[in-house]
């Protein structure tokens, strides 16, 4: 589904991603871990198409299409979804109108007519139930004055509404209370299927106990330096990142 | 009536004395002559060298053979009125043509609650004697003086003491001419003690050729414990140019709300809004939203004079600048020596959509009392890139995303409107303008 090859990206001339290779197949869940500042959110941003990042090398194939060639909105319409580490507050844009617009723009792209009011409301209700999302938040301005956890849950709710092929969740667990973590994870597990995939960025093993990944990768200094199965997350939880840094230093060519 | 038209090559100021004499002779109310002299002493039509007109060059608008002689009032039909698209449901309706009240087209509020008269026929009213031409800032305004010298007619409204006027009073100013006309409507609105009323103003040109330059003065007096909400809906406006003076005097415990929305096709809109807080515990809210497109010039000058203690004023103006348009915001707040415990707030936010558009914004606070809370802020910017990306990342296209953000910016102000039909009308018109802007 997603094939990242030797991806390099820079912000304001600073190289941030330095040769990422990652292959995600339909039905898989990949976890990406790594120290602060290693480039996890940057990778998510580059995939979603944030303009501040300049891709300097490499390629990304998304279901046979060149992802890097698409505008952010086309990527979203093609089925890529990013749940933000820091969702933005947009005063004056109502949550529900925003969602309706988003759903219908995606539908229009696929040649489908806009959703009827009734059908939209039914879908809204069923997804609200799935994600146990507070219906009162729907009529407020988009994320305005939402608590940290509410913003995260709103993003995940949008994900449930848009049913993307590939969802990238950037530290969705940070800011969620214990119950919310369980609820959101259960929701994600219900959305999992053979035709979609998830990339889950997290610092904590705990989330991965709920959403069990097929693969775990460690991103360090703009590169994936280690990949493994869910046991790798346990090992990181126990040992931290220092042992990996040692390994890398040994591997790195002497300048 | 004689028609006097100045030569196109001669400036209006030069021909004014002759125009004045032709129109009014040397008899009549002496206040006209005094005002004309005052106007001349202030320097006549202000140029960009006058501080308050630095960014708003009105001189060209006075060059095109302006006439001050009003044409015969044409018979306006109900259909023509309807066709303006301005009508609002559930309102009283006062229709004026070139400043003259048209009873046949109007729906008057009950006389037990409100006195409505042509200004030219209101001289015998006690409130007229008490308040007409008395507003403190009249002296300072070039165009208020010009209006006082030349006004033809206007609307006298007195909301009687304790009257609670439920339905808004919708004042529809229609302008008609052939050729280029300067019309000077003059109004006096008094809200007596403990009364409550809402005024809505709209304007449109009907059956005009050429342009009409409207130089209006409205004096509003909000007496003790009265509450007046005043909506200035500056929509439509093709063929019209506006220089508006609104002078408000507030007495103890009164409330005045002003909503000025400029969403028009006028080349020129200059609003001068002056609030004088003359007694304790008054409350004032000023909301403005303007869109300037093409080569329009939209200029909002406001002043709030806090003269007495315990008064609160709050001003929020927002604007969207596109194409090659120019916007001006100047907000003065004076807190006089006696005005302790003043709360005065002011915000002006601007979105500049086009690189060729300009906005000049200047807050001016002068505080002479020490125990006060005042703040002001201005912003000039584009739509937030982060917000834009968030919307696009959900599949919303660039134009639609921008449109949503610009509307959100605007609707923050229009959400303050308390009359649903007004809010709806304003938001529909704003949407139309903004959609055009963001789809280009
Ligand atoms: N606009 C920018 N200008 C310069 N450096 C930037 C910019 N944006 C990000 N960076 C840098 O890129 C690096 C990677 O940041 P990124 O947000 O991808 O890290 P992360 O792995 O998501 O970290 P965290 O775990 O703290 O969320 C950091 O060193 C950050 O300072
Ligand atoms: Mg991050």
């Amino acid at each position: 589904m997603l094939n990242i090859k030797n991806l390099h990206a820079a912000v304001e001339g600073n190289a941030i991603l330095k040769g990422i290779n990652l292959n995600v197949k339909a039905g898989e869940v990949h976890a990406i871990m790594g120290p602060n500042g290693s480039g996890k959110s940057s990778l998510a941003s580059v995939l979603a198409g944030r303009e501040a990042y300049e891709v300097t090398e490499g390629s990304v194939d998304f279901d046979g299409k060149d992802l890097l060639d698409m505008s952010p909105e086309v990527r979203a319409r093609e089925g890529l979804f990013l749940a933000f580490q820091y969702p933005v507050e947009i005063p004056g844009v109502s949550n529900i109108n925003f969602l309706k617009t988003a759903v219908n723009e995606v539908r229009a792209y696929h040649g489908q007519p806009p959703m009827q009011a009734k059908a939209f409301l039914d879908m809204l209700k069923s997804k609200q139930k799935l994600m146990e999302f507070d219906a009162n938040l729907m009529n407020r301005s988009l994320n305005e004055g939402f608590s940290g956890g509410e913003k995260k849950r709103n993003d995940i709710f949008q994900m449930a509404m848009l049913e993307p092929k590939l969802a990238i969740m950037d530290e969705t667990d940070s800011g969620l209370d214990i119950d919310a973590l369980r609820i959101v994870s259960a929701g994600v597990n219900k959305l999992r299927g053979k035709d979609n995939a998830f990339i889950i960025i997290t610092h904590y093993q705990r989330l991965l106990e709920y959403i069990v990944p097929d693969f775990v990768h460690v991103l360090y200094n703009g590169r994936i330096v280690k990949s493994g199965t869910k046991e790798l997350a346990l090992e990181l939880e126990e040992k931290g990142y220092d042992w990996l840094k040692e390994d890398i230093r040994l591997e790195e060519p002497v300048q | 009536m004689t028609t006097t038209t100045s030569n196109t090559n001669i400036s209006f100021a030069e021909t004014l004395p002759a125009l004045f004499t032709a129109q009014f002779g040397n008899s009549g109310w002496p206040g006209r002559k005094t005002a004309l002299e005052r106007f001349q002493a202030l320097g006549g039509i202000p140029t960009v060298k006058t501080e308050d007109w630095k960014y708003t060059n009105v001189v060209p608008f006075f060059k095109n053979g302006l006439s001050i002689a009003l044409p015969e009032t044409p018979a306006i039909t109900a259909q023509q009125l309807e066709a303006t698209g301005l009508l609002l449901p559930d309102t009283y309706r006062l229709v004026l043509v070139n400043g003259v009240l048209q009873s046949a087209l109007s729906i008057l509020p009950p006389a037990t609650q409100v006195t409505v008269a042509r200004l030219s026929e209101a001289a015998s009213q006690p409130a007229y004697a008490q308040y007409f031409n008395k507003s403190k800032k009249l002296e300072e305004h070039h165009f208020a003086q010009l209006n006082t010298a030349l006004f033809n007619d206007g609307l006298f409204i007195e909301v009687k003491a304790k009257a609670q006027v439920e339905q808004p009073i919708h004042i529809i100013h229609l302008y008609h001419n052939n050729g280029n006309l300067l019309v000077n409507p003059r109004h006096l609105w008094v809200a007596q003690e403990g009364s409550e009323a809402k005024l809505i103003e709209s304007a449109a040109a009907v059956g005009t050729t050429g342009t009409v330059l409207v130089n209006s003065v409205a004096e509003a007096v909000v007496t003790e414990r009265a509450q007046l909400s005043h909506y200035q809906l500056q929509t439509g406006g093709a063929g019209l140019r506006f220089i508006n003076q609104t002078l408000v005097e507030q007495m103890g415990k009164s409330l005045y709300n002003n909503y000025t929305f400029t969403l028009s096709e006028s080349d020129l809109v200059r609003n001068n809004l002056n609030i004088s807080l003359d007694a304790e515990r008054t409350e004032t809210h000023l909301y403005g939203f303007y869109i300037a497109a093409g080569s329009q010039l939209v200029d909002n000058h406001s002043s709030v004079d806090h003269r007495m203690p315990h008064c609160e004023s709050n001003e929020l103006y927002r604007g969207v600048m596109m194409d090659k348009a120019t916007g001006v915001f100047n907000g003065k707040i004076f807190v006089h020596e006696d005005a302790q415990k003043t709360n005065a707030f002011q915000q002006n936010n601007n979105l500049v959509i086009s690189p060729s558009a300009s906005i000049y914004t200047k807050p001016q606070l002068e505080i002479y009392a020490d125990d006060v809370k005042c703040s002001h802020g201005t912003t000039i910017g584009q739509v937030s890139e982060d917000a834009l990306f968030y919307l696009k990342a959900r599949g919303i296209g660039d134009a639609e995303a921008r449109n949503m953000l610009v509307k959100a910016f605007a609707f923050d102000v229009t959400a303050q409107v308390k009359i649903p039909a007004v809010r709806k009308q304003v938001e529909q018109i704003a949407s139309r303008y903004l959609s055009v802007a963001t789809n280009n």
Side-chain angles (χ1 to χ4, degrees):
Chain A
M1 175 178 288
L2 185 77
N3 199 353
I4 306 176
K5 280 190 189 143
N6 191 31
L7 183 65
H8 290 249
V11 175
E12 289 164 14
N14 303 309
I16 311 274
L17 302 182
K18 301 166 184 171
I20 303 244
N21 292 291
L22 182 67
N23 196 348
V24 178
K25 295 198 179 69
E28 292 178 349
V29 174
H30 289 242
I32 296 181
M33 305 180 80
N36 294 131
S38 57
K40 302 181 297 298
S41 295
S42 300
L43 173 61
S45 294
V46 170
L47 293 177
R50 199 184 273 278
E51 273 160 25
Y53 287 85
E54 189 200 348
V55 174
T56 49
E57 218 183 311
S59 66
V60 182
D61 179 283
F62 185 48
D63 260 354
K65 292 180 185 164
D66 181 359
L67 185 76
L68 300 177
D69 212 29
M70 302 173 196
S71 66
E73 57 270 35
V74 170
R75 296 178 197 204
R77 294 167 189 167
E78 284 283 348
L80 185 131
F81 184 95
L82 169 60
F84 289 84
Q85 184 173 2
Y86 305 107
V88 185
E89 296 196 12
I90 311 185
V93 172
S94 100
N95 215 356
I96 191 150
N97 284 342
F98 154 72
L99 253 184
K100 203 183 286 169
T101 309
V103 166
N104 284 333
E105 290 232 6
V106 173
R107 288 175 66 88
Y109 181 78
H110 294 286
Q112 296 162 318
M115 250 180 147
Q116 298 293 313
K118 170 83 169 62
F120 179 76
L121 280 180
D122 288 347
M123 177 161 153
L124 205 64
K125 276 201 193 112
S126 86
K127 301 295 180 179
Q128 270 166 358
K129 210 166 147 203
L130 176 71
M131 291 296 175
E132 296 186 34
F133 186 72
D134 182 357
N136 290 324
L137 295 174
M138 285 317 298
N139 293 316
R140 295 199 7 210
S141 277
L142 185 45
N143 291 330
E144 189 187 23
F146 284 26
S147 74
E150 285 170 343
K151 286 181 191 166
K152 294 297 183 82
R153 294 184 67 169
N154 197 20
D155 257 31
I156 295 303
F157 177 67
Q158 291 165 20
M159 180 180 92
M161 286 293 289
L162 292 167
E163 300 177 329
K165 280 196 282 198
L166 174 68
I168 305 165
M169 295 163 57
D170 193 355
E171 294 197 29
T172 297
D173 50 340
S174 68
L176 290 188
D177 68 44
I178 299 159
D179 291 334
L181 185 67
R182 197 175 32 76
I183 293 161
V184 165
S185 304
V188 169
N189 283 330
K190 277 185 213 145
L191 294 175
R192 278 174 81 164
K194 63 175 178 30
D195 296 325
N196 60 6
F198 291 83
I199 296 175
I200 295 176
I201 297 170
T202 183
H203 286 294
Y204 305 106
Q205 147 69 15
R206 202 182 44 191
L207 175 68
L208 304 181
E209 281 171 11
Y210 290 112
I211 309 172
V212 182
D214 301 299
F215 301 96
V216 175
H217 310 276
V218 178
L219 193 66
Y220 175 68
N221 195 16
R223 257 177 291 181
I224 290 177
V225 294
K226 197 163 182 70
S227 297
T229 52
K230 62 181 195 284
E231 285 72 28
L232 176 59
L234 280 168
E235 198 176 354
L236 292 168
E237 180 92 357
E238 197 180 313
K239 299 205 274 190
Y241 292 109
D242 280 353
W243 63 283
L244 275 174
K245 292 180 189 171
E246 291 296 325
D247 284 5
I248 295 152
R249 227 165 275 141
L250 293 176
E251 280 169 28
E252 228 146 71
V254 184
Q255 304 270 325
Chain B
M1 198 178 278
T2 53
T3 307
T4 317
T5 310
S6 67
N7 185 302
T8 1
N9 299 319
I10 302 169
S11 84
F12 174 79
E14 284 171 55
T15 58
L16 187 59
L19 290 174
F20 181 87
T21 312
Q23 187 82 5
F24 303 104
N26 283 316
S27 56
W29 181 55
R32 289 192 189 278
K33 194 94 200 195
T34 314
L36 183 67
E37 282 159 17
R38 174 81 189 145
F39 173 71
Q40 307 282 27
L42 284 168
I45 306 296
T47 67
V48 292
K49 290 192 186 115
T50 310
E51 182 61 28
D52 270 347
W53 296 88
K54 201 165 164 183
Y55 305 108
T56 301
N57 186 6
V58 289
V59 175
F61 296 103
F62 283 86
K63 277 200 171 142
N64 47 2
L66 273 184
S67 162
I68 60 166
L70 296 178
E72 290 294 328
T73 303
I76 305 282
T77 63
Q79 285 85 338
Q80 277 178 296
L81 184 61
E82 183 82 41
T84 60
L86 299 174
L87 298 189
L88 292 163
D90 307 318
T91 55
Y92 301 116
R93 186 175 296 156
L94 305 177
V95 179
L96 281 67
V97 177
N98 291 344
V100 182
L101 180 63
Q102 309 294 309
S103 300
L105 294 170
S106 299
I107 306 167
L108 298 184
T112 49
Q113 291 198 310
V114 186
T115 305
V116 174
R118 288 176 60 169
L119 189 90
S120 58
E121 292 169 359
S124 61
Q125 301 281 344
Y128 182 99
Q130 197 174 353
Y131 298 118
F132 177 71
N133 204 32
K134 297 283 192 333
S135 303
K136 291 181 192 64
K137 295 252 167 169
L138 277 173
E139 284 273 292
E140 297 177 12
H141 285 298
H142 296 70
F143 288 104
Q145 291 306 313
L146 185 66
N147 176 287
T148 306
L150 302 179
F151 74 90
N152 61 311
D153 207 343
L155 207 49
F156 172 83
I157 300 176
E158 182 180 7
V159 186
K160 298 196 170 163
K162 298 207 176 71
Q164 308 290 305
V165 187
E166 286 285 323
Q167 285 194 31
I169 301 171
H170 190 191
I171 304 166
I172 302 175
H173 304 277
L174 300 178
Y175 296 101
H176 167 85
N177 73 324
N178 24 54
N180 295 322
L181 181 71
L182 171 69
V183 57
N184 294 271
R186 179 65 174 244
H187 313 291
L188 174 62
W189 302 327
V190 180
Q192 295 292 15
E193 280 181 41
S195 66
E196 210 179 312
K198 306 171 202 79
L199 300 180
I200 306 168
E201 289 186 86
S202 303
V206 281
T208 56
T209 56
T211 57
V212 182
L213 176 52
V214 180
N215 175 39
S216 84
V217 169
E219 293 179 89
V221 184
V222 192
T223 68
E224 277 83 5
R225 292 183 311 282
Q227 304 198 354
L228 185 67
S229 290
H230 179 193
Y231 294 82
Q232 293 176 288
L233 309 182
Q234 301 171 333
T235 61
L240 298 177
R241 292 155 180 172
F242 292 97
I243 300 173
N244 292 317
Q245 279 75 212
T246 305
L247 302 108
V248 182
E249 313 248 318
Q250 279 188 253
M251 297 178 193
K253 297 183 184 153
S254 65
L255 168 71
Y256 175 75
N257 295 324
N258 182 291
Y259 305 79
T260 299
F261 299 126
T262 309
L263 312 162
S264 80
E265 267 130 55
S266 301
D267 307 332
L268 168 73
V269 177
R270 162 68 177 247
N271 295 310
N272 296 299
L273 175 59
N274 300 109
I275 314 289
S276 182
L277 307 177
D278 299 339
E280 296 191 18
R281 295 181 201 280
T282 61
E283 192 180 324
T284 312
H285 298 275
L286 311 177
Y287 299 105
F289 179 65
Y290 45 95
I291 298 176
S295 56
Q296 283 179 312
L297 204 170
V298 177
D299 178 348
N300 280 288
H301 266 64
S302 64
S303 72
V304 181
D305 275 86
H306 281 262
R307 301 180 196 278
M308 297 297 280
H310 295 287
C311 294
E312 185 178 324
S313 71
N314 175 24
E315 179 170 19
L316 171 65
Y317 268 64
R318 285 198 168 172
V320 178
M321 301 294 117
M322 39 217 207
D323 305 330
K324 290 179 181 164
T326 305
V328 182
F329 174 86
N330 183 296
K332 298 189 179 78
I333 298 176
F334 299 104
V335 181
H336 297 251
E337 216 175 334
D338 291 337
Q340 299 296 358
K341 306 279 180 196
T342 287
N343 282 321
F345 306 104
Q346 183 191 86
Q347 264 292 326
N348 174 235
N349 311 111
N350 298 284
L351 270 185
V352 182
I353 289 181
S354 143
S356 317
S358 325
I359 175 79
Y360 303 93
T361 170
K362 186 177 179 189
Q364 249 174 294
L365 266 65
E366 289 184 30
I367 302 172
Y368 301 101
D370 44 32
D371 186 11
V372 301
K373 279 197 199 114
C374 293
S375 74
H376 66 85
T378 61
T379 60
I380 299 174
Q382 281 85 40
V383 294
S384 148
E385 285 300 321
D386 282 345
L388 204 55
F389 182 66
Y390 190 91
L391 297 178
K392 289 186 192 178
R394 297 295 175 257
I396 300 173
D398 186 75
E400 178 62 21
R402 282 176 197 279
N403 198 7
M404 284 172 87
L405 292 175
V406 174
K407 280 180 191 167
F409 172 82
F411 291 177
D412 233 20
V413 186
T414 54
Q416 304 296 329
V417 171
K418 302 291 187 304
I419 305 170
V422 171
R423 179 171 170 185
K424 193 171 154 212
Q425 190 184 69
V426 167
E427 291 186 350
Q428 275 173 355
I429 295 170
S431 294
R432 216 173 56 219
Y433 280 100
L434 297 175
S435 302
V436 170
T438 47
N439 288 330
N440 280 342

